[in-house]
Amino acid sequence: MDKTYTSLSVAISALQKEGYTEDFNLCDDGLENKKRKTVHPANELEVVKHYRFEGMTNPADNTVLYVIETKSGEKGLLVDAYGAYSGQMPEGMVQKLKIDY
C-alpha cells in the first residue's frame, strides 16, 4: 500500500477496491461506523496508512485520509478535513491519528 494518489477521490476509489469499504466518522467515543452501528475506541483501531492532500488554492486546506482496520475486522476509511487536532476528541484518538511530519 505504498502508493501515492493524485487526489482524494482517486485514493478513496482505489482503497475501496482493496477492501477498505467501511465509512468511519469521528465521534465522542472514537470512530463510528454508522452502517454497522458500531463504535470503536482508539485501542480497537489500527491506522494502516494515511494520505494527506492539500487544497489547490490554499495549502492550509488540509484533508487527511486514514486507512483503518478494527480489531473486529472492519476495514474502512476516515476522511478528516481539518486534521486530527482540530476538534474535541479523546486523547487516545488524538494519539492514534497523530501524524508526524
Side-chain angles (χ1 to χ4, degrees):
M1 193 180 310
D2 288 338
K3 300 174 184 166
T4 59
Y5 299 102
T6 56
S7 71
L8 178 63
S9 61
V10 169
I12 290 172
S13 179
L15 291 163
Q16 286 175 334
K17 288 177 185 172
E18 291 183 27
Y20 292 93
T21 56
E22 301 299 332
D23 181 23
F24 293 115
N25 296 292
L26 289 169
C27 68
D28 290 341
D29 297 321
L31 287 188
E32 178 182 26
N33 182 336
K34 288 186 180 182
K35 183 174 86 175
R36 293 182 184 255
K37 296 181 174 45
T38 56
V39 175
H40 303 280
N43 64 348
E44 293 182 6
L45 307 172
E46 178 185 354
V47 177
V48 177
K49 186 82 176 162
H50 68 272
Y51 299 92
R52 182 178 173 194
F53 300 92
E54 293 183 353
M56 292 294 287
T57 57
N58 184 354
D61 290 339
N62 288 342
T63 301
V64 180
L65 174 64
Y66 297 93
V67 182
I68 295 174
E69 295 181 10
T70 68
K71 285 187 178 180
S72 63
E74 294 173 39
K75 294 171 63 174
L77 305 171
L78 167 67
V79 177
D80 188 2
Y82 302 103
Y85 316 102
S86 64
Q88 296 291 86
M89 75 173 84
E91 179 63 25
M93 283 304 296
V94 171
Q95 292 305 314
K96 184 63 77 165
L97 299 177
K98 183 178 178 183
I99 298 173
D100 295 320
Y101 295 103

